[in-house]
Amino acid sequence: MKISNKKKKDTIFAPSSLHGISKWIKEYRDRFSIDINQLEKTSRDFLTLNKSTSNKQTKDKKQLNNEDDDDGWTVVSRSLKKTRQRMVPSTDKTLSRLRAKHKRSNQKKELVNFYKFQMTDKKIDQLEQLKMKFELDKQRITQMRQQRKFKPF
């Protein structure tokens, strides 16, 4: 066996007080730490770039609408601005009308008597109500008849 005379390069590690999971947590937090000034700068740059591109697109659309095609045809496109304005109710009267219409449509969609026992219960309740009304009407009629009789003394 031969022993080499070469010295191994020692890697120097900086002594750290963090080990294991606490070290990983610190590395994770450091990775996502944000400099507020840098964030503000990048967001402003993005917004200005976005604004310029959107302005350029609207100009291109307007220019396209005003120009004629190669064959002499005019390109027509529709705008959604008018429909948006129509969709927004402007007065309380129209708001209340829309709410009532929505309520009516929801009532039509709702299934009140879905099961057969619900329908029979509803019929029984209606019959009981009719009987009660009939009894009240009978009492009213007897009272009216008693009041109608002529009593001279």
Side-chain angles (χ1 to χ4, degrees):
M1 228 165 130
K2 195 173 184 186
I3 301 174
S4 67
N5 294 333
K6 290 183 180 178
K7 292 184 178 178
K8 293 182 181 178
K9 292 183 180 179
D10 292 330
T11 56
I12 301 172
F13 291 106
S16 176
S17 63
L18 297 176
H19 299 287
I21 197 163
S22 57
K23 179 181 174 185
W24 296 336
I25 291 171
K26 184 182 181 307
E27 289 175 0
Y28 179 80
R29 286 185 180 157
D30 291 343
R31 192 179 335 152
F32 294 108
S33 65
I34 299 172
D35 182 26
I36 300 297
N37 296 329
Q38 183 183 4
L39 177 67
E40 186 177 350
K41 183 183 176 219
T42 55
S43 62
R44 286 186 192 277
D45 292 342
F46 176 77
L47 288 174
T48 54
L49 181 77
N50 189 21
K51 190 174 184 180
S52 65
T53 55
S54 65
N55 287 340
K56 186 177 180 182
Q57 287 176 353
T58 55
K59 285 180 184 177
D60 290 344
K61 284 182 184 178
K62 286 180 182 178
Q63 193 175 27
L64 184 77
N65 287 340
N66 294 334
E67 290 183 1
D68 291 340
D69 202 7
D70 295 335
D71 299 329
W73 295 93
T74 304
V75 178
V76 179
S77 64
R78 97 184 155 149
S79 170
L80 295 176
K81 290 180 182 177
K82 293 179 182 176
T83 56
R84 283 238 170 152
Q85 290 174 353
R86 271 190 247 139
M87 288 175 61
V88 177
S90 59
T91 61
D92 293 335
K93 187 177 182 180
T94 55
L95 275 174
S96 61
R97 193 178 305 147
L98 282 173
R99 285 187 190 126
K101 184 177 180 181
H102 184 69
K103 189 175 181 182
R104 273 186 267 129
S105 66
N106 283 346
Q107 286 176 350
K108 288 179 184 177
K109 292 176 188 175
E110 185 178 316
L111 292 174
V112 179
N113 298 326
F114 185 74
Y115 297 105
K116 186 159 181 121
F117 76 88
Q118 290 175 325
M119 293 192 313
T120 55
D121 288 345
K122 186 176 178 182
K123 286 180 184 178
I124 290 171
D125 290 340
Q126 287 176 347
L127 285 173
E128 288 176 1
Q129 288 177 359
L130 282 173
K131 287 178 185 177
M132 292 292 291
K133 285 183 183 177
F134 179 72
E135 293 297 325
L136 289 173
D137 287 342
K138 274 175 65 175
Q139 290 175 0
R140 231 182 271 137
I141 289 171
T142 54
Q143 285 179 354
M144 290 172 73
R145 282 184 182 162
Q146 288 175 357
Q147 290 175 357
R148 204 174 12 160
K149 289 186 179 177
F150 179 69
K151 297 180 183 176
F153 300 106

